[in-house]
Amino acid sequence: MTTDLLSPFKLNDTLELQNRVLMAPLTRCMADDNLVPTQDMVEYYARRAQTGLIISEATIIRPDAQGYPNTPGLFTSEQIQGWKKVTDAVHANGGKMFAQLWHVGRVAHPHFFDGDVLAPSAIGVEGSVPRMRELTYITPKAATTDDIKSLVADFAKAAENAMEAGFDGVEIHGANGYLIDQFLHYEANVREDEYGQTPENMSRFALEVTDAVIAAVGNERTALRLTPGAYFNMSEDSRDKAVFDYLLPELEKRDLAYLHGGIFDDSTRFDSLEGKTTSEFLRAGYKGTLVGVGSYSFETAKEAINDAKFDLIAIGRPLIANPDYISKVANNEELVAYNDEMLAKLI
């Protein structure tokens, strides 16, 4: 049977999407100086409400989660109300929206907050803050067990705040070399306690966050993004596969809204995943609803879904260039080509 990507898709008993095309999370650094969503952001997201589900740009759960300038938050009443304007506009245009919950871990910078940079272990990364290259990264503090409990609680609180802000659900950012992903990789996690050394221990933080968010907002409104093979600010290690081999079946038990691969090019095959692409590896280990991403066109995504590689497709840069992406593909109209200058403004 050939799947029509533009037909409705029942995500679960709570949520039905108007089509299988999701707007991928796209960090734009356009919140105000208090990390409150702006009117430009209201209009930006409202124009893309034809997609089946908008996943917000990564949104920080508390002050020490910040590693980029002007990334929005979900921990103050002003931020919650700012996001409420966004979700109201998306809903008025017939769309649905999840908030992506984010802590950057060791790539945070104290320029943005008072206090320690927290990570699984006291292992830093080289380089500097994007858009603020004068700020170089510092060696983080290894999170204590009390720090970890606080982080888990703050992910759950941010999920509750997302519901207050009118989101339809949340996607936990567990990918791309940020905090949760750091716990899942041997290069960043050399702990010797219950959060390190073995696949079970290294998966513990991701599962505790997931369980806390589910307890706060329900499994049907909880999703997770993972990158088992995409090494961003991270060195590849063949031992990492065993961590994800343990984690994926555990996540399947949670009956999440979906699991989302986080990769810029899903044609890349990773030695650490025994030559599989991200979507191939996730599909082999996880039988629930899977979102594919990574330089797919509408047609190549349709082929992949028809081949059962994943169930939904997240589109990124083409949706920056084409707010009316769904209308265009539905009517076989030519898409505007993305270029890097488009990152400098919301369109």
Side-chain angles (χ1 to χ4, degrees):
M1 182 180 70
T2 301
T3 300
D4 180 4
L5 270 61
L6 299 182
S7 293
F9 178 84
K10 190 172 183 180
L11 197 59
N12 49 48
D13 290 340
T14 301
L15 296 168
E16 182 169 315
L17 310 182
Q18 57 188 331
N19 54 63
R20 290 177 184 248
V21 180
L22 280 57
M23 179 178 174
L26 297 158
T27 296
R28 305 304 305 275
C29 298
M30 293 295 287
D32 70 16
D33 289 342
N34 294 314
L35 312 187
V36 176
T38 60
Q39 183 60 32
D40 282 344
M41 291 168 61
V42 173
E43 296 169 7
Y44 167 78
Y45 284 112
R47 285 195 289 268
R48 291 157 174 84
Q50 287 184 322
T51 53
L53 179 68
I54 293 173
I55 307 170
S56 81
E57 61 205 273
T59 301
I60 64 174
I61 64 166
R62 62 189 215 176
D64 70 357
Q66 188 176 0
Y68 299 74
N70 298 100
T71 49
L74 256 174
F75 55 89
T76 72
S77 58
E78 293 80 11
Q79 292 162 3
I80 293 168
Q81 292 308 307
W83 276 119
K84 186 69 165 63
K85 294 176 183 177
V86 174
T87 59
D88 283 349
V90 169
H91 292 151
N93 285 353
K96 290 184 171 67
M97 189 170 187
F98 274 30
Q100 191 186 64
L101 306 181
W102 192 30
H103 193 300
V104 303
R106 65 182 182 173
V107 293
H109 199 283
H111 169 81
F112 301 114
F113 56 87
D114 294 326
D116 296 314
V117 172
L118 293 178
S121 302
I123 302 172
V125 295
E126 296 182 358
S128 56
V129 174
R131 303 182 187 231
M132 301 182 74
R133 294 300 182 187
E134 70 278 9
L135 301 177
T136 55
Y137 292 125
I138 67 170
T139 301
K141 168 195 166 186
T144 66
T145 53
D146 284 343
D147 289 330
I148 290 172
K149 290 177 183 177
S150 175
L151 286 161
V152 170
D154 285 338
F155 268 103
K157 180 60 178 175
E160 293 176 353
N161 291 346
M163 295 301 101
E164 183 179 344
F167 285 97
D168 298 285
V170 299
E171 177 182 290
I172 303 163
H173 198 338
N176 302 120
Y178 298 120
L179 180 64
I180 292 173
D181 198 36
Q182 291 159 26
F183 274 89
L184 298 172
H185 290 274
Y186 281 90
E187 189 271 340
N189 183 351
V190 296
R191 300 178 70 95
E192 297 182 353
D193 63 1
E194 65 267 37
Y195 292 94
Q197 294 192 312
T198 68
E200 294 86 349
N201 286 348
M202 293 170 68
S203 298
R204 190 181 308 277
F205 179 61
L207 292 173
E208 286 181 348
V209 170
T210 301
D211 288 342
V213 170
I214 287 173
V217 304
N219 65 298
E220 72 280 2
R221 297 186 184 276
T222 301
L224 175 66
R225 193 178 213 207
L226 292 177
T227 44
Y231 288 88
F232 181 66
N233 285 325
M234 196 96 69
S235 298
E236 191 166 358
D237 191 312
S238 60
R239 295 175 295 172
D240 294 340
K241 177 180 177 294
V243 180
F244 289 91
D245 284 341
Y246 172 82
L247 177 61
L248 291 175
E250 288 298 314
L251 291 170
E252 191 172 323
K253 296 175 186 177
R254 271 75 174 173
D255 194 19
L256 301 174
Y258 61 81
L259 187 68
H260 183 186
I263 183 71
F264 299 113
D265 184 354
D266 196 34
S267 67
T268 303
R269 297 186 176 277
F270 295 96
D271 291 340
S272 60
L273 301 181
E274 298 181 342
K276 290 185 173 68
T277 66
T278 295
S279 62
E280 286 172 348
F281 179 75
L282 292 176
R283 180 79 296 168
Y286 184 83
K287 304 308 180 187
T289 300
L290 182 64
V291 178
V293 70
S295 298
Y296 284 93
S297 68
F298 185 80
E299 288 304 320
T300 58
K302 185 175 181 179
E303 292 172 5
I305 288 173
N306 283 324
D307 290 341
K309 293 180 179 179
F310 41 79
D311 306 290
L312 302 165
I313 182 65
I315 299 291
R317 290 178 172 181
L319 264 161
I320 292 178
N322 300 271
D324 52 352
Y325 180 88
I326 297 296
S327 294
K328 284 184 173 178
V329 296
N331 295 307
N332 294 314
E333 297 176 13
E334 185 176 357
L335 295 173
V336 174
Y338 169 87
N339 64 68
D340 288 341
E341 292 180 2
M342 293 174 178
L343 280 177
K345 57 183 179 179
L346 292 179
I347 58 174

